[in-house]
């Protein structure tokens, strides 16, 4: 291990389901127990008691699609915001660095739910934006701050010698960053970005309070009409658990392949 390796900053990870790794070997791993247990339970409930469990499952697919749209849209926009914020955080320009740092510090210091309300209603005061678009922008703005820290740590994890070598070949600082540093840091930041994706998927349930018809709001509508609150939220919890565990497995596979390719 070189001196630069020892001083590399740790990549921050978000709140989400645990990512399975190679150490989770064997037939009865925690991931398999949780995933197949949740999947088996929801199938059993739908077959054993179609009313209301099967009826709930038939009612929420539209909301599930909205949840995916919000999550994917927000994560893509958050990646752009995060990359800009991350580059700003390592900029030698004091003004750019100060603005980026202020954005990260303010966003990380305010609860996500408060930010969602504030951005949603702040947008509504100046321009009419559809509910889903407002929710995507609000989620992306919130998670952009966390992504910024991921990109900052990923870029700073690249040894300084890489920048010096690129500059010695005649590249400008911007060209070296674009063609040498950022491509290398992508491999480093992909796993934590996967964690943020899962956390965002889970937190997307908060947009239901902004009149966005995601899976949780669809569940609330069904429960309020049928008065089957316990059964409905049991199904909603199992659906979220199955989805997050499925994506955590995909991210774990991706992380292993990236590690094998290094």
């Amino acid at each position: 291990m070189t001196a630069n390796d020892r001083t590399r900053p740790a990549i921050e990870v978000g709140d989400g389901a645990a990512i399975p790794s190679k150490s989770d070997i064997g037939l009865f791993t925690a991931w398999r127990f949780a995933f197949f247990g949740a999947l088996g339970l929801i199938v059993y409930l739908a077959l054993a008691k179609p009313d209301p469990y099967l009826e709930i499952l038939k009612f929420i697919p539209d909301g599930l699609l909205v949840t995916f749209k919000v999550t994917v849209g927000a994560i893509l926009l958050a990646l752009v915001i995060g990359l800009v914020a991350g580059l700003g955080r390592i900029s030698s320009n004091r003004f750019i660095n100060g603005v980026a740092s202020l954005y990260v510090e303010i966003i990380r210091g305010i609860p996500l739910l408060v930010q969602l309300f504030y951005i949603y209603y702040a947008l509504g005061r100046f321009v009419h934006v559809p509910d889903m678009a407002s929710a995507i922008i609000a989620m992306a703005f919130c998670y952009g701050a966390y992504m910024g820290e991921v990109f900052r740590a990923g870029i700073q994890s690249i040894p300084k010698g890489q920048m010096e070598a690129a500059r010695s070949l005649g590249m400008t600082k911007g060209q070296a960053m674009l063609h040498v540093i950022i491509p290398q840091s992508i491999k480093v930041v992909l796993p934590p970005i996967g964690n943020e994706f899962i956390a965002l998927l889970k937190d997307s349930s908060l947009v239901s309070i902004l009149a966005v018809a995601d899976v949780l709001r669809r569940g609330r509508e069904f429960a309020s009409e049928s008065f089957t609150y316990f059964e409905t939220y049991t199904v909603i919890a199992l659906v979220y658990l199955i989805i997050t565990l499925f994506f955590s497995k995909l991210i774990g596979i991706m992380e292993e392949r990236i590690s094998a390719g290094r």
Side-chain angles (χ1 to χ4, degrees):
M1 179 182 291
T2 66
N4 284 332
D5 293 329
R6 286 193 295 271
T7 57
R8 289 176 185 175
I11 303 292
E12 297 183 9
V13 297
D15 175 29
I19 306 298
S21 65
K22 285 184 177 179
S23 60
D24 297 326
I25 57 176
L27 184 61
F28 297 103
T29 64
W31 182 90
R32 287 178 179 172
F33 184 81
F35 180 78
F36 290 108
L39 194 61
L41 180 57
I42 203 167
V43 171
Y44 169 77
L45 291 173
L47 295 176
K49 197 172 181 181
D51 186 15
Y53 290 106
L54 186 57
E55 296 303 318
I56 298 168
L57 287 173
K58 290 179 179 178
F59 192 79
I60 62 174
D62 290 345
L64 202 56
L65 184 60
V66 172
T67 293
F68 280 122
K69 286 181 179 178
V70 170
T71 302
V72 174
I75 198 74
L76 292 177
L77 189 54
L79 284 173
V80 177
I81 297 173
L83 179 58
V84 174
L87 291 173
R89 288 272 283 164
I90 61 172
S91 174
S92 57
N93 184 301
R94 295 183 64 181
F95 176 75
I96 295 175
N97 187 293
V99 171
S101 299
L102 191 62
Y103 161 68
V104 171
E105 294 298 338
I106 289 176
I107 293 300
R108 295 183 65 178
I110 301 175
L112 177 58
L113 184 59
V114 177
Q115 293 179 48
L116 281 174
F117 273 126
Y118 185 83
I119 296 172
Y120 179 77
Y121 288 111
L123 282 174
R125 288 179 66 90
F126 301 104
V127 60
H128 173 70
V129 181
D131 292 338
M132 185 184 296
S134 296
I136 290 174
I137 293 171
M139 292 292 295
F141 194 74
C142 299
Y143 267 84
Y146 295 94
M147 290 290 187
E149 286 302 272
V150 170
F151 278 110
R152 178 193 60 76
I155 292 171
Q156 289 182 331
S157 71
I158 306 302
K160 293 182 179 178
Q162 295 291 314
M163 173 62 80
E164 294 168 356
R167 296 298 300 273
S168 68
L169 293 175
M171 292 185 183
T172 64
K173 193 172 182 179
Q175 290 174 328
M177 185 64 72
L178 182 63
H179 299 294
V180 178
I181 304 301
I182 291 181
Q184 292 186 67
S185 66
I186 293 298
K187 291 183 178 180
V188 179
V189 302
L190 275 179
I193 285 176
N195 280 286
E196 294 294 340
F197 173 80
I198 293 176
L200 198 154
L201 171 63
K202 201 172 56 175
D203 287 342
S204 69
S205 62
L206 294 173
V207 304
S208 64
I209 61 174
L210 304 180
V212 176
D214 72 329
V215 65
L216 179 58
R217 186 164 183 96
R218 292 287 287 169
R220 287 167 59 189
E221 291 173 358
F222 187 92
S224 62
E225 293 174 1
S226 62
F227 300 101
T228 53
Y229 292 96
F230 172 76
E231 293 85 352
T232 300
Y233 288 115
T234 297
V235 171
I236 296 297
L238 289 172
V239 167
Y240 271 110
L241 181 59
I242 291 169
I243 294 172
T244 54
L245 287 171
F246 174 76
F247 280 108
S248 71
K249 185 65 174 178
L250 287 183
I251 293 168
I253 294 172
M254 180 186 69
E255 191 172 342
E256 289 175 8
R257 291 187 176 181
I258 291 174
S259 300
R262 284 179 180 172

